[in-house]
């Protein structure tokens, strides 16, 4: 996983459901619209990351600061496009 996925207009719960369906498929390589070629593990990590953010936001709805992410993902980089 290269970093935090950009989800400005996305629905995180729907993303988790979509990634669950993708993970039901038999694949090893992922070619996304942006970023490097990935693999099944990248999809699993992205799904878990989004799930963890949803859980964190539900537990603390005041989380408005983009820099407050679950500790497990604190070292992931954030692309410049998130700050435009």
């Amino acid at each position: 996983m290269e970093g935090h996925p950009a989800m400005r207009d996305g629905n995180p719960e729907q993303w988790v459901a979509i990634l669950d369906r993708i993970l039901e498929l038999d694949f090893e390589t992922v070619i996304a619209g942006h970023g490097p070629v990935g693999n099944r593990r990248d999809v699993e990590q992205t799904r878990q990351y989004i799930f963890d953010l949803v859980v964190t936001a539900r537990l603390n709805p005041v989380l408005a600061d983009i820099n407050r992410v679950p500790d497990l993902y604190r070292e992931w980089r954030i692309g410049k496009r998130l700050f435009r």
Side-chain angles (χ1 to χ4, degrees):
M1 172 93 184
E2 185 175 325
H4 301 280
M7 297 187 57
R8 284 178 250 181
D9 298 322
N11 179 316
E13 284 120 349
Q14 288 180 354
W15 267 94
V16 170
I18 290 166
L19 293 172
D20 283 341
R21 290 184 66 194
I22 290 171
L23 288 166
E24 292 174 3
L25 302 172
D26 182 24
F27 71 93
E28 289 303 321
T29 303
V30 174
I31 302 173
H34 299 279
V37 173
N39 57 37
R40 175 174 283 278
R41 180 72 185 129
D42 294 322
V43 176
E44 292 167 347
Q45 284 183 324
T46 300
R47 185 252 179 238
Q48 189 62 47
Y49 168 79
I50 297 169
F51 177 82
D52 289 346
L53 288 180
V54 168
V55 169
T56 300
R58 284 188 181 153
L59 293 175
N60 186 357
V62 182
L63 267 176
D65 183 357
I66 193 169
N67 294 315
R68 294 194 58 190
V69 297
D71 289 339
L72 180 62
Y73 309 105
R74 196 163 301 281
E75 298 302 316
W76 287 14
R77 71 176 187 78
I78 298 174
K80 292 178 185 176
R81 66 176 178 248
L82 293 178
F83 297 105
R84 284 190 187 157

